[in-house]
Amino acid sequence: MAWTKYQLFLAGLMLVTGSINTLSAKWADNFVAQGCGGSKEHSFQHPFLQAVGMFLGEFSCLAAFYLLRCRAARHPDASMDPQQPFNPLLFLPPALCDMTGTSIMYVALNMTSASSFQMLRGAVIIFTGLFSVAFLGRRLALSQWLGILATIAGLVVVGLADLLSKHDDQHKLSEVITGDLLIIMAQIIVSIQMVLEEKFVYKHNVHPLRAVGTEGLFGFVILSLLLVPMYYIPASSFSGNPRGVLEDALDAFCQVGRQPLIALALLGNISSIAFFNFAGISVTKELSATTRMVLDSLRTIVIWALSLALGWEAFHALQILGFLILLTGTALYNGLHRPLLTRLSRGRPLAEEGEHERLLGASRTPINDAS
């Protein structure tokens, strides 16, 4: 069945905003500017402040939810029907996981390329599958286990591509390896977040935009408060600011004042995550979770192509192989092969029955969304 103009708009919005989200964060990392007190020029490396901005973007989804609810009051919408009462503190544990995983990934993005960052996030399938068996009592199909194995193989190939690529002063080999490992470690935390959401949150039938916005509120408030002690915690060589502390928010604001384009990059990151979450939820509702997965894979291609075009990274053929293997693993895990085989063998339309169950937390992809 042909897509409507609205569905095409949603698909395009998800693809564009999802790509902007990663690219704008990397663009901010590439800027060099003076900090406070006349310090010499240095890279804009403020991952925790960037994570605060990401949560601000998620928090804005609450505004979208209430706007939709006001609209539903005039034009009834089944998705905005009154929902059962729930305790907002249910969102605190997943928000803490989101906060930790996102912060780690922003640190990693300073160390590795945007394309590797996006591809390695595919590791979330491995841990999500294992945790769903251990804590949700699920039984994975053979195709899902094969998908996990393919994903592991794809991660190895992408890692080899990073090892064999040429490295400049900005991204030394040791930093690239550390960044790649941090991304994979963050996916463990993201998987825990998704399991917590499914076990404790989704059974309350909370609207996805409300769920995203509430977690964003918790993450924004908590991480903003944590910026204060981070200003005094020494981090030696792990730090990217002149004072050598875990996060220097004042230095970040000084750099933004001296290089306004950083503010544009941060604004792009904040706004894109809000529209990306809205578009992703809408694509799942209007089209299917499988369509959302395909669009997320296309997002990786867009990020990789633009990173090459902008000269942010060098081409390596192994990345193509790694991406294709990761794509195969994702397709197998999410059962994409089944409707295709059904259509080929029986000539019937693509079946979407059960795909929401196969995609753990399909109604919402964390930024680290993702994935």
Side-chain angles (χ1 to χ4, degrees), residues 29-52:
D29 294 342
N30 288 337
F31 279 110
V32 175
Q34 284 187 333
C36 297
S39 61
K40 63 179 182 180
E41 291 188 342
H42 55 280
S43 299
F44 185 84
Q45 294 187 18
H46 298 281
F48 297 100
L49 184 68
Q50 286 178 293
V52 169

Side-chain angles (χ1 to χ4, degrees), residues 3 14 283-285 287-297 327 330-331 333-340 350-356 358-359 362:
W3 287 7
M14 180 182 169
V283 164
T284 303
K285 176 185 173 184
L287 296 166
S288 70
T290 299
T291 303
R292 184 173 181 174
M293 182 211 67
V294 173
L295 289 171
D296 210 43
S297 300
L327 188 61
T330 303
Y333 184 84
N334 291 321
L336 186 59
H337 64 292
R338 293 177 182 172
L340 288 174
L350 289 179
E352 295 174 4
E353 182 179 354
E355 68 182 350
H356 292 271
R358 284 194 298 272
L359 277 175

Side-chain angles (χ1 to χ4, degrees), residues 4 13 20 53 105 112 117 144 172 185 203 238 263 275 351 356 371:
T4 65
L13 183 65
I20 290 175
M105 283 195 285
T112 190
F117 169 83
Q144 291 177 309
K172 298 179 181 177
M185 184 175 74
K203 65 182 180 182
F238 188 72
F275 284 105
H356 292 271
S371 312

